[in-house]
Amino acid sequence: MAPISKECDFLVIGGGSGGLACARRASGQWGAKTIAVESNRLGGTCVNVGCVPKKVTWNAAAIAETLHEAASYGFKIKETAPFDFKTFKHKRDDYVRRLNDIYARNLSNDKVEYLHGRAHLLDKNSAEVVLDDGTRETVRAKKILIATGGHPNVPKHIPGSELGITSDGFFDLETLPKRVALVGAGYIAVEMAGMFHHLGSETHLFIRHETFLRTFDPMIQESIVDEYERQGIIIHRNSTQQKIEKLDGQPGWMKMHYTDKSAPDGATIDLDCLLWAIGRSPEVEDLGLDKAGVKQNERGQVIADDYQNTSVDNIYSLGDVCGKIELTPVAIAAGRQLGNRLFGGPDYKDAKMDYENVPSVVFAHPEVGSIGLSEPDAVEKYGRENIKVYKTSFTAMYYAMMDPKEKAPTKYKVVCQGEEERVVGMHILGAGSSEMLQGFGVAVKMGCRKRDLDSCVAIHPTSAEELVTMK
């Protein structure tokens, strides 16, 4: 048996949002002796290569969009130089580094011991941590949390796929591509396609089916696809990729061979950036789950119940590594609840994350928001005869000054169930949807009914008022 160099009440493997939230709650609020281990930068995907730098980039793209639209309001704006992507990128990096430092200080303030290294489980109560300098420490813990997150996938079966980047590599780009192809149909592909386009790249989005965001309500799928095409993003439906090869004499450029609905016999496109956004896998390589007896599903994700319990009675898991709902606020909430349950005493013995009615937003152009069931899912669950749908489509007042071809859509749908017309789904597309949904999400979470929405006096003139005036 390896020598024991450290002992603690709680070992947290993974320094992302969920792991850190749990570690800080266990130590800072409940006094558990806690050690957190992270092999990369503190903050995980969200802070370093996800939500935070993504939203900063979305902001830049939204500003570019606004500058384009300003002429309709009478502004004469002359561009004296192109968008300085490199300066923007470095300022964004500086912001992320400041957040890394804040996370480290928060751990210190909550008396969480932090080890920077790679952890490997030895058994159900211990792990070996390989530190940056190659030295090894063994940590023995009463309880262990696996919160190692995930990483983006690259298709191994496509020759030359390594010439592309993933969402991680997006944030390493020093220059804005002239022509970019994104492969994928989830929110990452859709968000990044919108950002590339509005910042000035010729943008191609390759999807396997007719629409993207296919887990969202059909209204969202159809509307955002149409809007992206209106804006000038080139969508390749029913596409496959055969191979990618470097272009001779053109450093940084590549040729992708593909098929799509318009070219079923094959075509090629020259690119200076290819981004794979085809899904994510759990970060479990060399974690030693088998040594501890932790069970995984067919995707490699750690199997955990709603209380974050794994198949081993003192090992827990949350966040992207177990794949329940892969959103940062979900991991944070689950982490805090788990910290409460494990160390908060009898008052918290049943504390757990509620995975029902979690609001989510896609920072597309325009934004998309959703909470609860899509219309098809609601029909499947409750039956068509028990579902009533209210919907509206209109042009937001912001676009009143613009030519018809410049006007973006706004569409809302409220899905209600039963005689009481309880709201079981809300789906919104249009400017401001992200901020709007947070408030309406509280109402849905509380079990609001259609008449509760109707009873709220509208705020005029806003787009949100349409949600309380639907007929």
Side-chain angles (χ1 to χ4, degrees):
M1 184 176 177
I4 297 172
S5 55
K6 292 181 183 292
E7 291 193 5
C8 63
D9 298 315
F10 195 34
L11 172 62
V12 175
I13 302 175
S17 300
L20 295 181
C22 193
R24 292 181 60 199
R25 179 60 56 92
S27 178
Q29 185 161 334
W30 303 118
K33 184 178 180 182
T34 303
I35 295 174
V37 182
E38 172 56 48
S39 60
N40 208 315
R41 292 179 289 173
L42 282 176
T45 296
C46 177
V47 168
N48 297 291
V49 289
C51 331
V52 170
K54 179 272 299 289
K55 184 65 184 293
V56 172
T57 310
W58 184 88
N59 288 339
I63 290 170
E65 196 174 6
T66 302
L67 291 173
H68 172 75
E69 295 163 342
S72 296
Y73 276 84
F75 290 92
K76 307 297 182 185
I77 299 174
K78 184 178 181 180
E79 189 175 32
T80 58
F83 173 58
D84 188 349
F85 184 83
K86 188 171 185 177
T87 295
F88 163 77
K89 188 263 186 192
H90 289 169
K91 289 187 72 175
R92 185 184 64 197
D93 290 348
D94 290 341
Y95 174 51
V96 170
R97 279 190 287 269
R98 292 197 298 273
L99 294 178
N100 296 147
D101 292 341
I102 289 170
Y103 272 73
R105 286 198 298 274
N106 286 340
L107 286 180
S108 178
N109 292 340
D110 283 326
K111 297 180 173 54
V112 177
E113 183 177 353
Y114 170 43
L115 300 179
H116 194 272
R118 190 90 175 168
H120 318 273
L121 292 172
L122 300 175
D123 54 47
K124 62 177 289 188
N125 287 107
S126 59
E128 182 182 70
V129 181
V130 181
L131 303 176
D132 291 344
D133 61 3
T135 59
R136 299 171 183 266
E137 292 192 3
T138 301
V139 180
R140 186 163 180 81
K142 296 175 184 176
K143 302 180 188 295
I144 296 175
L145 172 64
I146 299 166
T148 48
H151 56 259
N153 297 329
V154 173
K156 296 178 181 179
H157 66 283
I158 299 176
S161 61
E162 72 280 358
L163 297 174
I165 62 173
T166 65
S167 55
D168 289 1
F170 172 85
F171 299 106
D172 291 330
L173 291 174
E174 291 282 345
T175 57
L176 196 63
K178 291 181 173 61
R179 182 182 298 131
V180 58
L182 302 98
V183 181
Y187 72 93
I188 293 174
V190 172
E191 289 179 336
M192 291 187 171
M195 291 185 283
F196 273 126
H197 171 72
H198 286 289
L199 292 177
S201 297
E202 178 186 318
T203 304
H204 296 253
L205 181 55
F206 289 79
I207 60 178
R208 288 189 298 170
H209 301 280
E210 288 286 332
T211 61
F212 43 71
L213 298 180
R214 294 177 65 244
T215 60
F216 284 74
D217 188 87
M219 179 196 76
I220 298 293
Q221 296 180 45
E222 295 157 8
S223 301
I224 196 70
V225 168
D226 290 345
E227 174 60 10
Y228 265 33
E229 288 191 311
R230 182 195 70 80
Q231 293 176 10
I233 295 172
I234 302 160
I235 298 175
H236 299 258
R237 293 173 169 84
N238 306 127
S239 70
T240 62
Q241 296 74 44
Q242 281 71 53
K243 66 176 179 178
I244 300 95
E245 53 194 4
K246 292 182 180 179
L247 277 179
D248 293 336
Q250 292 182 262
W253 282 75
M254 68 198 82
K255 184 184 294 290
M256 183 171 74
H257 298 252
Y258 69 92
T259 63
D260 65 9
K261 190 173 183 178
S262 299
D265 296 326
T268 63
I269 184 172
D270 293 348
L271 309 162
D272 60 338
C273 183
L274 167 62
L275 192 150
W276 302 108
I278 56 172
R280 297 174 63 84
S281 294
E283 186 73 22
V284 293
E285 293 82 0
D286 72 358
L287 189 53
L289 296 175
D290 55 333
K291 295 179 181 178
V294 177
K295 292 182 179 178
Q296 300 165 261
N297 63 19
E298 66 280 357
R299 294 185 57 194
Q301 295 165 327
V302 175
I303 297 173
D305 64 17
D306 285 352
Y307 288 87
Q308 316 307 147
N309 300 310
T310 71
S311 56
V312 180
D313 60 10
N314 67 305
I315 298 181
Y316 311 89
S317 186
L318 55 81
D320 290 4
V321 73
C322 59
K324 283 187 176 295
I325 299 178
E326 296 183 16
L327 295 171
T328 295
V330 171
I332 291 171
R336 289 171 177 164
Q337 292 286 20
L338 179 62
N340 289 339
R341 183 169 72 86
L342 296 183
F343 301 105
D347 290 346
Y348 294 94
K349 64 182 178 61
D350 296 319
K352 70 181 182 69
M353 167 69 192
D354 182 0
Y355 287 95
E356 293 293 320
N357 286 326
V358 173
S360 64
V361 164
V362 181
F363 286 99
H365 294 263
E367 300 162 61
V368 168
S370 179
I371 183 171
L373 300 174
S374 67
E375 182 179 348
D377 287 344
V379 169
E380 181 180 349
K381 183 172 183 178
Y382 297 109
R384 169 58 72 183
E385 69 279 6
N386 296 310
I387 294 298
K388 187 169 183 180
V389 174
Y390 297 84
K391 55 187 175 182
T392 184
S393 176
F394 60 98
T395 300
M397 187 178 288
Y398 175 76
Y399 300 106
M401 306 291 285
M402 300 178 190
D403 293 336
K405 66 179 186 298
E406 296 291 326
K407 294 181 179 182
T410 305
K411 296 187 178 185
Y412 300 155
K413 177 187 282 190
V414 177
V415 182
C416 300
Q417 179 263 327
E419 292 183 4
E420 286 284 295
E421 293 195 339
R422 181 171 60 93
V423 177
V424 295
M426 183 177 288
H427 312 281
I428 59 178
L429 177 148
S433 290
S434 60
E435 300 291 348
M436 197 184 303
L437 186 65
Q438 187 69 79
F440 280 101
V442 174
V444 174
K445 191 74 175 173
M446 293 176 69
C448 79
R449 299 152 300 179
K450 176 64 168 60
R451 65 175 178 266
D452 296 319
L453 297 179
D454 296 341
S455 70
C456 183
V457 175
I459 301 171
H460 183 72
T462 65
S463 292
E465 68 181 295
E466 295 288 333
L467 284 167
V468 299
T469 57
M470 283 185 181
K471 300 298 182 186

